[in-house]
Amino acid sequence: MLRFAYSFLRQFRSFGSVAFPNMSISYLGQDAAQALDVELMSEEGGFSVDQLMELAGLSVAAVVEAEFPDRTRFHRVAVLVGPGNNGGDGLVAAR
């Protein structure tokens, strides 16, 4: 599935990566992200909106946990979300 998504995204010029010391960040532009959503929710992709929201929220929560593993020092997290589509991802992450 991931190979399919990566090869699908390579056709967009808004797909790229940025390298920092000890870290690499991949990103999607708006057009590529919208096309990926459509593709993942197609019959071939097989994901529902709810499943994609759960995956996005889980990914955010996993990164926060990895970056701040000391729960005795960092025991609270503030999640600020708006009313848009990413708001649901943030609420899943907070849960």
Side-chain angles (χ1 to χ4, degrees):
M1 180 59 161
L2 289 177
R3 253 187 262 151
F4 166 75
Y6 183 76
S7 62
F8 174 78
L9 289 174
R10 295 302 287 164
Q11 67 186 315
F12 295 95
R13 291 196 294 176
S14 58
F15 176 75
S17 62
V18 176
F20 293 97
N22 303 323
M23 164 174 58
S24 177
I25 299 173
S26 296
Y27 62 89
L28 297 177
Q30 182 179 4
D31 293 341
Q34 288 174 342
L36 179 60
D37 279 348
V38 168
E39 191 66 28
L40 289 174
M41 289 185 279
S42 71
E43 193 171 307
E44 184 179 326
F47 285 96
S48 70
V49 173
D50 293 342
Q51 288 171 318
L52 292 176
M53 188 183 318
E54 288 290 331
L55 289 171
L58 177 62
S59 297
V60 169
V63 169
V64 169
E65 177 71 26
E67 290 296 316
F68 302 99
D70 185 1
R71 288 189 177 194
T72 60
R73 185 168 171 216
F74 303 106
H75 57 277
R76 292 185 182 179
V77 176
V79 179
L80 306 175
V81 299
N85 290 339
N86 291 338
D89 301 344
L91 292 174
V92 169
R95 186 184 67 216

